[in-house]
Structures are given as C-alpha cells and as structure tokens.
Amino acid sequence: MLTPQDAWETTYHQLQLQLDQAKFDTWVRDARFLRFEGDTFIVGVRNTFARDMLQHRLYRNVARVLSDAWGKAASIRFELLPADNAKAHTQDTELPLFQIMAEARVPTLPTYAVADAAPAPTYAERVPAPVPASLPEMELNARYTFDRFVVGPSNHLAYEAVQSVLDAPGRHYNPLFIYGGVGVGKTHLLQAAAHVSRAAGRRAIYVPSEAFTNDLVVALRTRTTPMMREKYRTADVLIVDDVQFLAGKDSTVEEFFHTFNVLRESGKQIIVASDRAPADLAPLEERLRSRFSGGLVVDIAPMELEVRMAIVKLWTHEQNITLSDPVVQVIAESVASARELEGAFNMIAARVRLTAAPIKRDDAAHILRRLEGPRVHNRALTLDEITRVVSSVFGVSVEEILGKGRTKAVSLARQAVMSLARELTDLSLIQIGAGLGDRTHSTVISGIKKVTELCASAPEICEQLETARKHLLGQR
Ligand code: ADP
Ligand code: MG
C-alpha cells in the first residue's frame, strides 16, 4: 500500500518529467512532503513565490498527478518550510535576482541566500544587512565530478580538452570554449574542472554568466566594484557557464571583457560554455566573440544511446538498484538528453524501491509511456507571439505593452507577458526586459512577482492568464 510520502515522491518525479526544466526547478524542485492531514497532503516549499504559484497556477496540474499516484482524488496545501538560511530582509524586498536566476537557471547549485517568507520581519531583520566583506562564491555541485562523467563519442573531444587544460592551466588553450545543446553535460564538465582545480590548490571560480551579471549589478548599486573585481580578477581558473546570456548586457560585457583580458594576460585559464558556437553568439560584441574563438572551440554533440545507457548504469550502481539491460535501454530510449534522463530514471528507481521486486521491460516501458503525452517537444514561443496573445486577451495594444504607460490595465498586461515569457520560453530575465521596451531584469522580477500575487487574490486575472497560456500552448 502506497504511503502518502510515496505518492508525493511519485508525483514529484512525474512533475520533473512533465514540466519544462525551468518551471520544475523554479517551483517544484525544493518542495518536500511534510505530513498528511485528513485528506490533504501538506507540502513544504521554500518561499511565498513558489507557494502561491503551486497553490494557484500549477494547482490543478499537480493535484491531478498526485491524485493519479494516490489512486483517488487528493488535495494539497503548500506551506512554507522553516527558513534554514535566515538572512536580513524585509517583506516587500523584491525577490533577490540571484535567487530567481540561481533557481531557474542553475538549479542544482545551492547559492547565496534564499528568500524565505517570514511573515512579520522583526526589527533586527528590517535593519539592512551590512555589505559583506567579500563576495560569496557559488558552491559547486558535489555530484558533478569526473568520476561520474561518462565519456563517449559525443563528448570525448570536450573531455580531452578540459583534461589538457587542467594539466597545464593557462598554457595550451586559452580560452577553452565548449558549446552544445541542453543537457549534453556542459555544466557537469565545467564544475568537474573546478573541483579538480581546487583540489590542486588553485583558486577556481565557477560562475554562470547571469550570476556574474548579478554580481556586477549589485556592485554598481552598492558602489563595490573593486570588490567584485577582486573576486574575479584573482582567479587562477575562471569558468563561466552559459555565456550566451551575456548578449545584450553592455555593462556586463564590458566588465567581462576586461576581466577576461586581465586574466589572460597574466596566464590564468579561462573556460567558458555556451549553447552555441562563438560565431553564432551575435548580438554579443564582436571583440568578445573573437576572443572566444581565439582559443580552442569544441562542441559536445547530443548524447548517443550508449552514453545514456552507461549513465543510467552508473546511477544504478550508485543507488544500489538492480535493473536489467533491457530496462536500462528502455529508460535511455525514452528521453533525448541526460537532463531528462534523471527524471525517467528516478521514476523507475522509485517503483523498484517500492515493490522491492525486479521490474520487467514492459512495465518500465508502460510507466515511461504514461509520461510521454505532455512531454512531446514543442517549438519555442517568441516574445512577440506572447505579447500579441496577451494584447488580445487583456485588451491592451501591443504598443501600449511596449510603451511607457503605467495605467493599471497596461501594467497588468505587461506583467502577464513577463510571467508567460518566463514560463514558456528559455529567455533570460534580461532578454525579456530588453524585449519589452528596454526594461531592466529587476523590473521583470517585480512584474512577475506582482502578477503572481494578483493572481492569488483575483481569480479573474488568473483566468485571463490561463486563457492566454492555453492560446499560446496551442500555438506551439
Ligand atoms: P548542460 O549544462 O549541457 O545543459 P548538464 O551538465 O546540466 O547539461 O547535464 C544534465 C544532467 O546530465 C546532469 O545531471 C549531469 O550530471 C548529467 N550528465 C550530462 N552529461 C553526462 C555524462 N557524460 N555523464 C554523466 N552524467 C552526465
Ligand atoms: Mg548547463
């Protein structure tokens, strides 16, 4: 008999497969089963933002999956988990940029402070936090090591390049530029390089480019750019992930360009990763693109079936689970990238643990097939399309949405575009802001927050959003 905890676990893994990556990471990843009360599952989440999102916009979806797993209609209540990392903040402080970015883009890296939602800040909490003496560094994911990295035809060049850079940092290929699509293992490889560098006593900084931008934004706001420079320009190895997100951010590109030059001139190693080749990084400034192409550029191709199978086998050993080869193959065949692989594997692993009996190939296929529907891959929506749909649903013209006006109706429509763009595209906050009449990423963050709050208190707004969303989903 399934316990409520098991039902939630199953739900969690199903959601991991059903929702797109950003959505899952932002709203669901940290959710934890707390208890079962009457007929209600009580699930803990880390901040009010996630709670409201789950309790309202995602509720029907989550409740449906949970009811499926539980075998009868289930209701859920989302509660805030006790803050484990209390930091000075006030209630109306906007959600820190780095939280959204860290959670949405680099989910597996615990980093910086987490905005919890203490209901009434005490006096001590209202006092602004002093500027820290040095900038915090991002923690590395302990699981992203070389011994957990499977090398195969698709990634061996990149793997070799990283190894040779680590043998003699700053000497052979500088910078080393690695590119490839989602889930091919770029972040894993980069962080493995950081682990090894640190173990060798080098100061290695791993940073997703959005966190670099964020450090700069904070530095400019608090007039602490020297501290920021100190942090990055003293690295022995600087590793920057997802550099495609630098495009369009002039001050960041400028700062990064100088950091790059300082490090290179002093023989320090730079490694970067991107979702596309340097030449395709326009509108990133030409001088930076040519710096990127000036070292070694290697790509990682989509992972072959054998590599995905080898990864699944690695995980089965680690977790002490036995799966027959045909089952391993079914799992590996069910997804295209290693990122989705984990969700599929977890589903099967959960079943094996639950029944404590070996699973047959057909059963595994059956479990995975149930997840296929919602995951059929869709083309990406553009900001223009989203703006047009919101314009017609909210009765506000596209010009008004892109313009300066701030009447209630116009602001609401604009915030709806921000929120839908965040949810339905891979655009960064910065790109969304830029595409919406040159607004800043913090405007986008507050916009999304605002519309989420409105949605929680005014059902008609939620419905409008839902209508726009349905429309858009129908378009892809
Ligand atoms: P990317 O940064 O290219 O989008 P990630 O590095 O985030 O991809 O990889 C997605 C997931 O797949 C991670 O959990 C990672 O550990 C795993 N992964 C990717 N490539 C490999 C590999 N070659 N061996 C083992 N695990 C891998
Ligand atoms: Mg990555």
Side-chain angles (χ1 to χ4, degrees), residues 125-160:
E125 283 171 331
R126 288 199 303 272
V127 177
V131 173
S134 67
L135 283 179
E137 267 174 41
M138 193 157 276
E139 278 175 40
L140 299 175
N141 186 327
R143 293 163 52 83
Y144 288 173
T145 53
F146 283 121
D147 55 2
R148 298 191 70 256
F149 189 83
V150 174
V151 183
S154 53
N155 59 22
H156 90 272
L157 278 180
Y159 174 85
E160 299 297 341

Side-chain angles (χ1 to χ4, degrees), residues 108 143-144 148-152 155 180-189 241-242 300 303 307 311 314-315 337-342:
T108 42
R143 293 163 52 83
Y144 288 173
R148 298 191 70 256
F149 189 83
V150 174
V151 183
N155 59 22
V182 173
V184 296
K186 301 182 294 296
T187 298
H188 189 138
L189 200 53
D241 205 350
D242 289 325
I300 305 187
M303 217 172 256
V307 177
I311 294 176
L314 178 99
W315 292 341
S337 86
R339 183 163 283 176
E340 299 159 299
L341 197 58
E342 202 178 355

Side-chain angles (χ1 to χ4, degrees), residues 2-16 19 24 27-36 41-45 54 58-59 61-71 74-78 347 350 354:
L2 218 60
T3 65
Q5 168 92 40
D6 295 333
W8 170 255
E9 304 270 297
T10 308
T11 304
Y12 182 92
H13 296 315
Q14 294 229 23
L15 290 171
Q16 189 167 18
L19 298 173
F24 178 83
W27 312 120
V28 188
R29 185 173 285 281
D30 293 315
R32 284 214 303 269
F33 175 76
L34 293 178
R35 58 187 186 280
F36 191 58
F41 288 76
I42 315 292
V43 172
V45 293
L54 286 164
L58 292 175
Y59 187 84
N61 191 3
V62 178
R64 195 179 51 233
V65 177
L66 180 60
S67 302
D68 261 6
W70 187 225
S75 62
I76 324 170
R77 198 168 72 235
F78 295 92
M347 281 291 299
L354 226 57

Side-chain angles (χ1 to χ4, degrees), residues 427-438:
L427 295 172
S428 70
L429 294 165
I430 291 161
Q431 290 169 323
I432 296 172
L436 277 175
D438 235 358

Side-chain angles (χ1 to χ4, degrees), residues 98 101-109 111-112 137-140 187 190-191 205-216 228 231-232 238-246 252 256 271-273 430:
F98 37 73
M101 288 181 167
E103 293 193 351
R105 301 282 169 205
V106 281
T108 42
L109 309 176
T111 170
Y112 302 104
E137 267 174 41
M138 193 157 276
E139 278 175 40
L140 299 175
T187 298
L190 257 46
Q191 291 209 15
I205 297 190
Y206 166 86
V207 63
S209 77
E210 288 194 298
F212 182 87
T213 300
N214 184 57
D215 272 356
L216 181 65
M228 146 125 193
K231 169 176 171 182
Y232 288 104
L238 178 64
I239 304 175
V240 188
D241 205 350
D242 289 325
V243 289
Q244 73 272 12
F245 289 129
L246 285 177
T252 314
F256 183 71
I271 309 177
V272 291
I430 291 161

Side-chain angles (χ1 to χ4, degrees), residues 192-207:
H195 280 298
V196 166
S197 304
R198 287 185 188 175
R202 299 196 179 95
R203 190 166 132 65
I205 297 190
Y206 166 86
V207 63

